[in-house]
Coordinates of all heavy atoms in Angstrom, one line a residue:
M1 N -21.9 9.6 -5.6 CA -20.6 9.2 -5.2 C -20.3 7.8 -5.8 O -21.1 6.9 -5.6 CB -20.5 9.0 -3.6 CG -20.3 10.3 -2.9 SD -18.6 10.9 -3.1 CE -17.7 10.0 -1.9
P2 N -19.2 7.6 -6.5 CA -18.8 6.3 -6.9 C -18.5 5.4 -5.8 O -18.0 5.9 -4.7 CB -17.6 6.5 -7.8 CG -17.1 7.9 -7.5 CD -18.2 8.6 -6.8
T3 N -18.8 4.2 -5.9 CA -18.5 3.2 -4.8 C -17.0 3.0 -4.7 O -16.3 2.8 -5.7 CB -19.1 1.9 -5.1 OG1 -20.5 2.1 -5.5 CG2 -19.1 0.9 -3.9
P4 N -16.4 3.2 -3.6 CA -15.0 2.9 -3.4 C -14.6 1.5 -3.6 O -15.5 0.6 -3.4 CB -14.6 3.4 -2.0 CG -15.9 3.4 -1.3 CD -17.0 3.5 -2.3
P5 N -13.4 1.2 -4.1 CA -13.1 -0.2 -4.3 C -13.1 -1.0 -2.9 O -13.1 -0.3 -1.9 CB -11.7 -0.2 -4.9 CG -11.2 1.2 -4.8 CD -12.4 2.1 -4.4
G6 N -13.1 -2.3 -3.0 CA -13.2 -3.1 -1.7 C -12.1 -2.8 -0.7 O -11.0 -2.3 -1.1
N7 N -12.4 -3.0 0.5 CA -11.5 -2.7 1.5 C -10.3 -3.7 1.7 O -9.4 -3.6 2.5 CB -12.2 -2.7 2.9 CG -12.9 -1.3 3.1 OD1 -12.5 -0.3 2.4 ND2 -13.9 -1.3 3.9
D8 N -10.4 -4.8 0.9 CA -9.3 -5.7 1.0 C -8.2 -5.4 0.0 O -7.2 -6.2 -0.1 CB -9.8 -7.2 0.7 CG -10.5 -7.3 -0.6 OD1 -10.8 -6.2 -1.2 OD2 -10.8 -8.4 -1.0
L9 N -8.3 -4.3 -0.7 CA -7.1 -3.8 -1.4 C -5.9 -3.7 -0.5 O -6.1 -3.4 0.7 CB -7.4 -2.4 -1.9 CG -8.2 -2.2 -3.2 CD1 -8.4 -0.7 -3.3 CD2 -7.5 -2.7 -4.3
F10 N -4.8 -3.9 -0.9 CA -3.6 -3.8 -0.1 C -3.7 -4.7 1.2 O -3.1 -4.5 2.2 CB -3.3 -2.4 0.4 CG -3.4 -1.4 -0.7 CD1 -4.3 -0.3 -0.7 CD2 -2.5 -1.4 -1.8 CE1 -4.4 0.6 -1.7 CE2 -2.6 -0.5 -2.8 CZ -3.5 0.5 -2.7
H11 N -4.4 -5.8 1.1 CA -4.6 -6.8 2.1 C -5.0 -6.1 3.4 O -4.7 -6.6 4.5 CB -3.3 -7.5 2.4 CG -2.8 -8.3 1.1 ND1 -3.4 -9.4 0.7 CD2 -1.8 -8.0 0.3 CE1 -2.8 -9.8 -0.5 NE2 -1.8 -9.0 -0.7
G12 N -5.8 -5.1 3.3 CA -6.3 -4.4 4.5 C -5.3 -3.5 5.3 O -5.7 -3.0 6.3
L13 N -4.1 -3.3 4.7 CA -3.1 -2.5 5.4 C -3.4 -1.0 5.1 O -3.2 -0.2 6.0 CB -1.7 -2.7 4.8 CG -1.1 -4.0 5.3 CD1 0.2 -4.3 4.4 CD2 -0.7 -3.9 6.7
F14 N -4.0 -0.7 4.0 CA -4.2 0.7 3.6 C -5.6 0.9 3.0 O -6.2 -0.1 2.5 CB -3.2 1.2 2.5 CG -1.8 1.1 2.9 CD1 -1.0 0.0 2.6 CD2 -1.2 2.1 3.7 CE1 0.3 -0.1 2.9 CE2 0.1 2.0 4.1 CZ 0.9 0.9 3.7
E15 N -6.1 2.1 3.1 CA -7.3 2.4 2.5 C -7.0 3.3 1.3 O -6.2 4.2 1.3 CB -8.1 3.3 3.5 CG -9.5 2.9 3.6 CD -10.0 3.5 5.0 OE1 -9.6 4.5 5.4 OE2 -10.9 2.8 5.6
W16 N -7.8 3.0 0.2 CA -7.6 3.8 -1.0 C -8.6 4.9 -1.0 O -9.7 4.8 -0.7 CB -7.8 2.9 -2.2 CG -7.6 3.5 -3.5 CD1 -6.4 3.5 -4.2 CD2 -8.6 4.1 -4.4 NE1 -6.6 4.1 -5.4 CE2 -7.9 4.5 -5.6 CE3 -9.9 4.3 -4.2 CZ2 -8.6 5.1 -6.6 CZ3 -10.6 5.0 -5.3 CH2 -9.9 5.3 -6.4
R17 N -8.1 6.1 -1.5 CA -9.1 7.2 -1.5 C -8.7 8.2 -2.6 O -7.6 8.3 -3.1 CB -9.2 7.9 -0.2 CG -7.9 8.5 0.4 CD -8.0 8.7 1.9 NE -6.7 8.8 2.4 CZ -6.0 10.0 2.5 NH1 -6.6 11.1 2.0 NH2 -4.8 10.1 2.9
R18 N -9.7 9.0 -3.0 CA -9.5 10.1 -3.9 C -9.5 11.4 -3.0 O -10.3 11.5 -2.1 CB -10.6 10.3 -4.8 CG -10.7 9.2 -5.9 CD -11.8 9.7 -6.9 NE -11.9 8.7 -7.9 CZ -12.7 7.6 -7.8 NH1 -13.4 7.4 -6.7 NH2 -12.8 6.7 -8.8
E19 N -8.6 12.3 -3.3 CA -8.5 13.5 -2.6 C -8.7 14.6 -3.7 O -8.1 14.6 -4.7 CB -7.2 13.8 -2.0 CG -6.9 12.8 -0.8 CD -5.5 13.0 -0.2 OE1 -4.7 13.6 -0.9 OE2 -5.4 12.6 1.0
T20 N -9.6 15.6 -3.3 CA -9.7 16.7 -4.2 C -9.3 17.9 -3.5 O -9.6 18.1 -2.3 CB -11.2 16.9 -4.7 OG1 -12.0 16.7 -3.6 CG2 -11.5 15.9 -5.8
S21 N -8.5 18.7 -4.1 CA -8.2 20.0 -3.6 C -8.3 21.0 -4.7 O -7.6 21.0 -5.7 CB -6.8 20.1 -3.0 OG -5.8 19.9 -3.9
G22 N -9.3 21.9 -4.6 CA -9.6 22.8 -5.7 C -10.0 22.0 -6.9 O -10.9 21.1 -6.8
A23 N -9.4 22.2 -8.0 CA -9.8 21.6 -9.2 C -9.0 20.3 -9.4 O -9.3 19.5 -10.3 CB -9.5 22.5 -10.4
S24 N -8.0 20.0 -8.6 CA -7.2 18.9 -8.9 C -7.6 17.7 -8.0 O -8.1 17.8 -6.9 CB -5.7 19.2 -8.6 OG -5.5 19.3 -7.2
L25 N -7.4 16.6 -8.6 CA -7.8 15.3 -8.0 C -6.6 14.4 -7.9 O -5.8 14.4 -8.8 CB -8.8 14.6 -8.9 CG -9.2 13.2 -8.6 CD1 -10.1 13.1 -7.4 CD2 -9.8 12.5 -9.8
R26 N -6.4 13.9 -6.7 CA -5.3 12.9 -6.7 C -5.7 11.7 -5.9 O -6.6 11.7 -5.1 CB -4.0 13.6 -6.1 CG -4.1 13.8 -4.6 CD -2.8 14.3 -4.1 NE -2.6 14.0 -2.7 CZ -1.5 13.8 -2.1 NH1 -0.4 13.9 -2.8 NH2 -1.4 13.6 -0.8
L27 N -5.0 10.6 -6.2 CA -5.2 9.4 -5.5 C -4.3 9.2 -4.4 O -3.1 9.6 -4.5 CB -5.1 8.2 -6.6 CG -5.9 8.3 -7.8 CD1 -5.6 7.2 -8.8 CD2 -7.4 8.4 -7.5
A28 N -4.7 8.6 -3.4 CA -3.8 8.4 -2.2 C -4.2 7.1 -1.5 O -5.3 6.6 -1.7 CB -3.9 9.6 -1.3
V29 N -3.3 6.7 -0.7 CA -3.6 5.6 0.3 C -3.4 6.2 1.7 O -2.6 7.1 1.9 CB -2.8 4.3 0.1 CG1 -3.0 3.8 -1.3 CG2 -1.3 4.6 0.4
S30 N -4.2 5.7 2.6 CA -3.9 6.0 4.0 C -3.9 4.8 4.8 O -4.5 3.8 4.5 CB -4.9 7.0 4.5 OG -6.2 6.5 4.4
Q31 N -3.1 4.8 5.9 CA -3.0 3.6 6.7 C -4.3 3.3 7.4 O -4.9 4.2 8.0 CB -1.8 3.8 7.7 CG -1.5 2.6 8.4 CD -0.2 2.8 9.3 OE1 0.4 3.8 9.2 NE2 0.1 1.8 10.1
K32 N -4.6 2.1 7.5 CA -5.8 1.7 8.3 C -5.2 1.3 9.6 O -4.3 0.6 9.7 CB -6.5 0.5 7.6 CG -7.2 0.9 6.4 CD -7.8 -0.3 5.7 CE -9.1 -0.7 6.3 NZ -9.8 -1.8 5.5
F33 N -5.9 1.8 10.7 CA -5.3 1.5 12.0 C -5.9 0.2 12.6 O -6.2 0.1 13.8 CB -5.5 2.7 12.9 CG -4.6 3.8 12.4 CD1 -5.1 4.8 11.6 CD2 -3.2 3.8 12.8 CE1 -4.2 5.8 11.2 CE2 -2.4 4.8 12.3 CZ -2.9 5.8 11.5
E34 N -6.2 -0.7 11.7 CA -6.5 -2.0 12.2 C -5.2 -2.8 12.3 O -4.3 -2.5 11.6 CB -7.5 -2.7 11.3 CG -8.8 -2.1 11.3 CD -9.6 -2.4 10.0 OE1 -9.4 -3.4 9.4 OE2 -10.4 -1.5 9.7
T35 N -5.1 -3.7 13.1 CA -3.9 -4.4 13.3 C -3.8 -5.6 12.4 O -4.1 -6.7 12.7 CB -3.7 -4.9 14.8 OG1 -4.9 -5.5 15.2 CG2 -3.3 -3.8 15.7
V36 N -3.4 -5.3 11.1 CA -3.1 -6.3 10.2 C -1.6 -6.7 10.4 O -0.7 -5.9 10.5 CB -3.2 -5.8 8.7 CG1 -2.8 -6.9 7.7 CG2 -4.7 -5.4 8.5
R37 N -1.4 -8.0 10.7 CA -0.1 -8.4 11.1 C 0.7 -9.2 10.0 O 1.9 -9.3 10.0 CB -0.2 -9.3 12.3 CG -0.5 -8.5 13.6 CD 0.8 -7.9 14.1 NE 0.5 -6.8 15.0 CZ 0.8 -5.6 14.8 NH1 1.2 -5.2 13.6 NH2 0.5 -4.6 15.6
T38 N -0.1 -9.8 9.1 CA 0.6 -10.6 8.0 C 0.1 -10.2 6.6 O -1.1 -9.8 6.5 CB 0.5 -12.1 8.3 OG1 -0.9 -12.4 8.2 CG2 1.1 -12.5 9.6
V39 N 0.9 -10.4 5.7 CA 0.5 -10.3 4.3 C 1.0 -11.5 3.6 O 2.1 -12.0 3.8 CB 1.2 -9.0 3.7 CG1 1.1 -9.0 2.1 CG2 0.6 -7.8 4.3
P40 N 0.2 -12.1 2.7 CA 0.7 -13.4 2.0 C 1.8 -13.1 1.0 O 1.8 -12.1 0.3 CB -0.5 -13.9 1.3 CG -1.5 -12.7 1.2 CD -1.2 -11.8 2.4
C41 N 2.8 -13.9 1.1 CA 4.0 -13.7 0.1 C 3.4 -14.0 -1.3 O 2.7 -14.9 -1.5 CB 5.0 -14.8 0.4 SG 6.3 -14.9 -0.8
P42 N 3.8 -13.1 -2.3 CA 3.3 -13.2 -3.6 C 3.8 -14.5 -4.3 O 3.2 -14.9 -5.3 CB 3.7 -11.9 -4.3 CG 4.9 -11.5 -3.5 CD 4.6 -11.9 -2.1
D43 N 4.9 -15.0 -3.9 CA 5.5 -16.2 -4.5 C 4.9 -17.5 -3.9 O 4.6 -18.4 -4.6 CB 7.0 -16.2 -4.4 CG 7.6 -15.0 -5.0 OD1 7.1 -14.5 -6.0 OD2 8.6 -14.5 -4.5
T44 N 4.9 -17.5 -2.6 CA 4.6 -18.8 -1.9 C 3.2 -18.8 -1.2 O 2.7 -19.9 -0.9 CB 5.6 -19.1 -0.9 OG1 5.6 -18.1 0.2 CG2 7.0 -19.1 -1.5
G45 N 2.6 -17.6 -1.0 CA 1.4 -17.5 -0.3 C 1.6 -17.6 1.2 O 0.6 -17.5 2.0
R46 N 2.8 -17.9 1.6 CA 3.1 -18.0 3.1 C 2.9 -16.6 3.7 O 3.2 -15.6 3.1 CB 4.6 -18.3 3.1 CG 5.2 -18.8 4.4 CD 6.6 -19.4 4.2 NE 7.5 -18.4 3.5 CZ 8.2 -17.5 4.2 NH1 8.2 -17.5 5.5 NH2 9.0 -16.7 3.6
P47 N 2.4 -16.5 4.9 CA 2.2 -15.2 5.6 C 3.5 -14.6 6.0 O 4.3 -15.3 6.6 CB 1.3 -15.6 6.8 CG 1.4 -17.0 7.0 CD 1.8 -17.7 5.7
L48 N 3.7 -13.4 5.6 CA 4.9 -12.6 6.0 C 4.5 -11.7 7.1 O 3.5 -11.0 7.0 CB 5.4 -11.8 4.8 CG 5.9 -12.6 3.6 CD1 6.2 -11.7 2.5 CD2 7.1 -13.4 4.0
R49 N 5.3 -11.6 8.2 CA 5.0 -10.7 9.3 C 5.3 -9.3 9.0 O 6.5 -9.0 8.6 CB 5.7 -11.2 10.6 CG 4.8 -12.2 11.4 CD 5.5 -12.7 12.6 NE 5.8 -11.6 13.5 CZ 6.8 -11.6 14.4 NH1 7.6 -12.7 14.5 NH2 7.0 -10.6 15.2
V50 N 4.4 -8.4 9.2 CA 4.6 -7.0 8.9 C 5.4 -6.4 10.0 O 5.2 -6.6 11.2 CB 3.2 -6.3 8.8 CG1 3.5 -4.8 8.7 CG2 2.5 -6.7 7.6
A51 N 6.5 -5.7 9.7 CA 7.3 -5.0 10.6 C 6.9 -3.6 10.8 O 6.6 -3.1 11.9 CB 8.8 -5.1 10.3
T52 N 7.0 -2.8 9.7 CA 6.6 -1.4 9.8 C 5.7 -1.0 8.6 O 5.8 -1.6 7.5 CB 7.9 -0.5 9.7 OG1 8.5 -0.7 8.5 CG2 8.8 -0.8 10.8
V53 N 4.9 0.0 8.8 CA 4.0 0.5 7.8 C 4.2 2.0 7.8 O 4.1 2.6 8.9 CB 2.5 0.1 8.1 CG1 1.6 0.8 7.0 CG2 2.3 -1.4 8.0
E54 N 4.4 2.6 6.6 CA 4.6 4.0 6.6 C 4.0 4.6 5.3 O 4.1 4.0 4.3 CB 6.1 4.2 6.6 CG 6.6 5.6 6.9 CD 8.1 5.8 6.7 OE1 8.8 5.1 7.4 OE2 8.5 6.6 5.9
V55 N 3.3 5.7 5.5 CA 2.7 6.4 4.3 C 3.6 7.6 4.0 O 4.0 8.4 4.9 CB 1.3 6.9 4.6 CG1 0.8 7.7 3.5 CG2 0.4 5.7 4.8
S56 N 4.0 7.7 2.7 CA 4.7 8.8 2.3 C 3.9 9.7 1.3 O 3.2 9.1 0.4 CB 6.0 8.3 1.6 OG 6.6 9.4 0.9
D57 N 3.9 11.0 1.5 CA 3.1 11.9 0.7 C 3.7 12.0 -0.7 O 2.9 12.3 -1.6 CB 3.2 13.3 1.3 CG 1.8 13.6 1.9 OD1 0.9 12.8 1.9 OD2 1.6 14.8 2.4
R58 N 5.0 11.9 -0.9 CA 5.6 12.0 -2.2 C 6.4 10.8 -2.5 O 7.6 10.8 -2.4 CB 6.4 13.3 -2.2 CG 5.6 14.6 -1.9 CD 6.5 15.8 -2.0 NE 7.2 16.0 -3.3 CZ 6.6 16.5 -4.3 NH1 5.3 16.8 -4.3 NH2 7.3 16.6 -5.5
A59 N 5.7 9.8 -2.8 CA 6.3 8.5 -3.2 C 6.2 8.3 -4.6 O 5.2 8.7 -5.3 CB 5.7 7.4 -2.4
V60 N 7.2 7.6 -5.2 CA 7.1 7.3 -6.6 C 6.9 5.8 -6.7 O 7.8 5.0 -6.2 CB 8.4 7.7 -7.4 CG1 8.3 7.3 -8.9 CG2 8.5 9.2 -7.3
C61 N 5.9 5.3 -7.4 CA 5.6 3.9 -7.6 C 6.7 3.3 -8.5 O 7.0 3.7 -9.5 CB 4.3 3.7 -8.2 SG 3.9 2.0 -8.6
P62 N 7.3 2.1 -8.0 CA 8.3 1.5 -8.9 C 7.7 0.8 -10.1 O 8.4 0.5 -11.0 CB 8.9 0.5 -7.9 CG 8.0 0.3 -6.8 CD 7.1 1.5 -6.7
A63 N 6.4 0.6 -10.1 CA 5.8 0.0 -11.2 C 5.2 0.9 -12.3 O 5.5 0.8 -13.5 CB 4.6 -0.9 -10.8
C64 N 4.5 2.0 -11.9 CA 3.9 2.9 -12.8 C 4.5 4.2 -12.8 O 4.2 5.1 -13.6 CB 2.4 3.0 -12.6 SG 2.0 3.9 -11.1
A65 N 5.5 4.5 -11.9 CA 6.2 5.7 -11.9 C 5.4 7.0 -11.6 O 5.8 8.1 -11.8 CB 7.1 6.0 -13.1
Q66 N 4.2 6.7 -11.1 CA 3.3 7.9 -10.7 C 3.8 8.4 -9.3 O 4.0 7.6 -8.4 CB 1.9 7.4 -10.6 CG 1.2 7.1 -11.9 CD 0.9 8.4 -12.7 OE1 0.5 9.4 -12.1 NE2 1.2 8.3 -14.0
L67 N 3.8 9.7 -9.2 CA 4.1 10.3 -7.9 C 2.8 10.5 -7.2 O 1.8 10.9 -7.7 CB 4.7 11.7 -8.1 CG 5.0 12.5 -6.9 CD1 6.1 12.0 -6.1 CD2 5.3 14.0 -7.3
G68 N 2.8 10.0 -5.9 CA 1.6 10.2 -5.2 C 1.8 9.8 -3.7 O 2.9 9.5 -3.3
A69 N 0.7 9.7 -3.0 CA 0.8 9.3 -1.6 C 0.7 7.8 -1.5 O -0.4 7.3 -1.7 CB -0.3 10.0 -0.8
G70 N 1.8 7.2 -1.3 CA 1.8 5.7 -1.3 C 2.3 5.2 0.1 O 2.7 6.0 0.9
G71 N 2.2 3.9 0.3 CA 2.5 3.3 1.5 C 3.6 2.3 1.4 O 3.6 1.5 0.4
Y72 N 4.6 2.3 2.3 CA 5.6 1.3 2.3 C 5.4 0.3 3.4 O 5.1 0.7 4.6 CB 7.0 2.0 2.5 CG 7.4 2.8 1.3 CD1 7.2 4.2 1.3 CD2 8.0 2.2 0.2 CE1 7.6 4.9 0.2 CE2 8.4 3.0 -0.9 CZ 8.2 4.3 -0.9 OH 8.6 5.1 -1.9
V73 N 5.7 -0.9 3.2 CA 5.6 -2.0 4.2 C 6.9 -2.8 4.2 O 7.4 -3.2 3.2 CB 4.4 -3.0 3.9 CG1 4.2 -3.9 5.0 CG2 3.1 -2.2 3.5
S74 N 7.4 -2.9 5.4 CA 8.6 -3.8 5.6 C 8.2 -5.0 6.4 O 7.1 -5.0 7.1 CB 9.7 -3.1 6.2 OG 9.5 -2.7 7.5
F75 N 9.0 -6.0 6.3 CA 8.6 -7.3 6.9 C 9.7 -7.8 7.9 O 10.9 -7.5 7.7 CB 8.3 -8.4 5.8 CG 7.2 -7.9 4.9 CD1 7.5 -7.2 3.7 CD2 5.9 -8.2 5.3 CE1 6.4 -6.8 2.9 CE2 4.8 -7.7 4.5 CZ 5.1 -7.0 3.3
V76 N 9.3 -8.7 8.8 CA 10.2 -9.3 9.7 C 10.8 -10.5 9.0 O 10.2 -11.2 8.3 CB 9.4 -9.8 10.9 CG1 10.3 -10.6 11.9 CG2 8.7 -8.7 11.7
S77 N 12.2 -10.5 9.1 CA 12.9 -11.6 8.5 C 12.7 -11.8 7.0 O 12.8 -12.9 6.4 CB 12.6 -13.0 9.1 OG 12.7 -12.9 10.5
D78 N 12.5 -10.6 6.3 CA 12.3 -10.7 4.9 C 12.8 -9.3 4.4 O 12.4 -8.3 4.9 CB 10.9 -10.9 4.5 CG 10.8 -11.3 3.0 OD1 11.1 -10.5 2.1 OD2 10.3 -12.5 2.8
L79 N 13.7 -9.3 3.4 CA 14.3 -8.1 2.9 C 13.5 -7.3 1.9 O 13.8 -6.2 1.6 CB 15.7 -8.3 2.3 CG 16.8 -8.8 3.3 CD1 18.1 -9.1 2.6 CD2 17.0 -7.7 4.4
R80 N 12.4 -7.9 1.4 CA 11.6 -7.2 0.5 C 10.8 -6.1 1.1 O 10.5 -6.1 2.3 CB 10.6 -8.2 -0.2 CG 11.3 -9.1 -1.2 CD 10.4 -10.2 -1.7 NE 10.0 -11.0 -0.6 CZ 9.2 -12.1 -0.8 NH1 8.8 -12.4 -1.9 NH2 8.9 -12.8 0.3
L81 N 10.4 -5.2 0.3 CA 9.5 -4.1 0.7 C 8.2 -4.2 -0.2 O 8.4 -4.7 -1.3 CB 10.1 -2.7 0.5 CG 11.2 -2.3 1.4 CD1 11.7 -0.9 1.0 CD2 10.6 -2.1 2.9
A82 N 7.1 -3.8 0.3 CA 5.9 -3.7 -0.5 C 5.5 -2.3 -0.6 O 5.6 -1.6 0.4 CB 4.8 -4.6 0.0
F83 N 5.1 -1.8 -1.8 CA 4.7 -0.5 -1.9 C 3.2 -0.5 -2.3 O 2.8 -1.1 -3.3 CB 5.5 0.2 -3.0 CG 5.1 1.7 -3.3 CD1 5.4 2.7 -2.4 CD2 4.4 2.0 -4.4 CE1 5.0 4.0 -2.6 CE2 4.0 3.3 -4.7 CZ 4.3 4.3 -3.8
A84 N 2.4 0.2 -1.6 CA 1.0 0.3 -1.9 C 0.8 1.5 -2.8 O 0.9 2.6 -2.3 CB 0.2 0.4 -0.6
C85 N 0.5 1.3 -4.0 CA 0.4 2.3 -5.0 C -1.1 2.7 -5.2 O -1.9 1.8 -5.6 CB 1.0 1.9 -6.4 SG 0.7 3.1 -7.7
P86 N -1.4 4.0 -5.1 CA -2.8 4.4 -5.3 C -3.3 4.3 -6.7 O -4.4 4.3 -7.0 CB -2.9 5.8 -4.7 CG -1.5 6.3 -4.8 CD -0.6 5.1 -4.6
S87 N -2.3 4.4 -7.7 CA -2.7 4.3 -9.1 C -2.8 2.8 -9.5 O -3.8 2.5 -10.2 CB -1.6 5.0 -10.0 OG -1.5 6.3 -9.6
C88 N -1.9 2.0 -9.1 CA -2.0 0.6 -9.5 C -3.1 -0.2 -8.6 O -3.6 -1.2 -9.0 CB -0.7 -0.2 -9.2 SG 0.7 0.5 -10.2
R89 N -3.3 0.4 -7.5 CA -4.3 -0.2 -6.5 C -3.9 -1.6 -6.1 O -4.8 -2.5 -6.0 CB -5.7 -0.1 -7.1 CG -6.2 1.3 -7.2 CD -7.7 1.3 -7.4 NE -8.1 2.2 -8.4 CZ -9.3 2.3 -8.9 NH1 -10.2 1.4 -8.5 NH2 -9.6 3.2 -9.8
K90 N -2.7 -1.8 -5.9 CA -2.2 -3.1 -5.4 C -0.8 -2.9 -4.8 O -0.2 -1.9 -4.9 CB -2.2 -4.2 -6.4 CG -1.3 -3.8 -7.6 CD -1.3 -5.0 -8.6 CE -0.3 -4.7 -9.7 NZ -0.3 -5.8 -10.7
L91 N -0.4 -4.0 -4.1 CA 1.0 -3.9 -3.5 C 2.0 -4.3 -4.6 O 1.8 -5.2 -5.3 CB 1.1 -4.9 -2.4 CG 0.4 -4.6 -1.1 CD1 0.7 -5.7 -0.1 CD2 0.9 -3.3 -0.5
I92 N 3.0 -3.4 -4.7 CA 4.1 -3.7 -5.6 C 5.3 -4.2 -4.8 O 5.7 -3.5 -3.8 CB 4.5 -2.4 -6.4 CG1 3.3 -1.7 -7.0 CG2 5.6 -2.6 -7.4 CD1 2.6 -2.4 -8.1
W93 N 5.8 -5.3 -5.2 CA 6.9 -5.9 -4.3 C 8.2 -5.4 -4.9 O 8.5 -5.3 -6.1 CB 6.8 -7.4 -4.3 CG 5.6 -7.8 -3.6 CD1 4.3 -7.9 -4.0 CD2 5.5 -8.2 -2.2 NE1 3.5 -8.2 -3.0 CE2 4.2 -8.4 -1.9 CE3 6.5 -8.3 -1.2 CZ2 3.8 -8.9 -0.6 CZ3 6.1 -8.7 0.1 CH2 4.8 -9.0 0.4
I94 N 9.1 -5.0 -3.9 CA 10.4 -4.4 -4.3 C 11.4 -5.4 -3.7 O 11.4 -5.7 -2.5 CB 10.6 -3.0 -3.7 CG1 9.4 -2.1 -4.1 CG2 11.9 -2.4 -4.1 CD1 9.3 -0.8 -3.3
A95 N 12.3 -5.8 -4.5 CA 13.4 -6.7 -4.0 C 14.2 -6.0 -3.0 O 14.5 -4.9 -3.1 CB 14.2 -7.2 -5.2
G96 N 14.6 -6.8 -2.0 CA 15.4 -6.2 -0.9 C 16.8 -5.9 -1.4 O 17.3 -6.4 -2.3
A97 N 17.4 -4.9 -0.7 CA 18.8 -4.5 -1.1 C 19.8 -5.5 -0.6 O 19.6 -6.2 0.3 CB 19.1 -3.1 -0.4
Ligands
ZN101 ZN1 1.7 2.2 -9.4

């Protein structure tokens, strides 16, 4: 078994995993049910309060355009979203609407 990447990927919000079904392999993230409450802002390092965390089975990463099981994070008093991409293995920040 290859060693999985560190658990601090996605700031502890999600767990990264490989899923195999038959011959196909796919990458996915799943929500960790630990109470992570803040994520550092990528610009300022200031802690942003997490509002909601949601895993979608068919999400498209805004950075690498891979379809997969990714996670969306929204924040309190901040319009940005973060997307946890299983291919990029990091949080991709999406400007708020
Ligand atoms: Zn990606």
Side-chain angles (χ1 to χ4, degrees):
M1 278 290 277
T3 311
N7 280 338
D8 56 349
L9 279 175
F10 312 120
H11 302 289
L13 285 168
F14 300 97
E15 225 160 32
W16 183 88
R17 60 200 162 86
R18 286 188 183 86
E19 292 178 340
T20 41
S21 64
S24 71
L25 169 75
R26 71 174 205 152
L27 304 177
V29 300
S30 58
Q31 189 175 349
K32 291 175 80 171
F33 291 97
E34 289 158 30
T35 45
V36 175
R37 284 280 162 252
T38 62
V39 169
C41 171
D43 300 327
T44 66
R46 197 168 55 89
L48 298 172
R49 270 178 62 206
V50 172
T52 63
V53 176
E54 195 183 301
V55 172
S56 168
D57 250 7
R58 298 180 60 79
V60 177
C61 172
C64 68
Q66 288 289 319
L67 177 70
Y72 291 96
V73 188
S74 69
F75 300 94
V76 176
S77 306
D78 196 298
L79 291 177
R80 284 172 297 183
L81 288 174
F83 177 75
C85 175
S87 300
C88 300
R89 294 195 219 170
K90 60 180 184 179
L91 287 181
I92 309 298
W93 290 82
I94 305 165

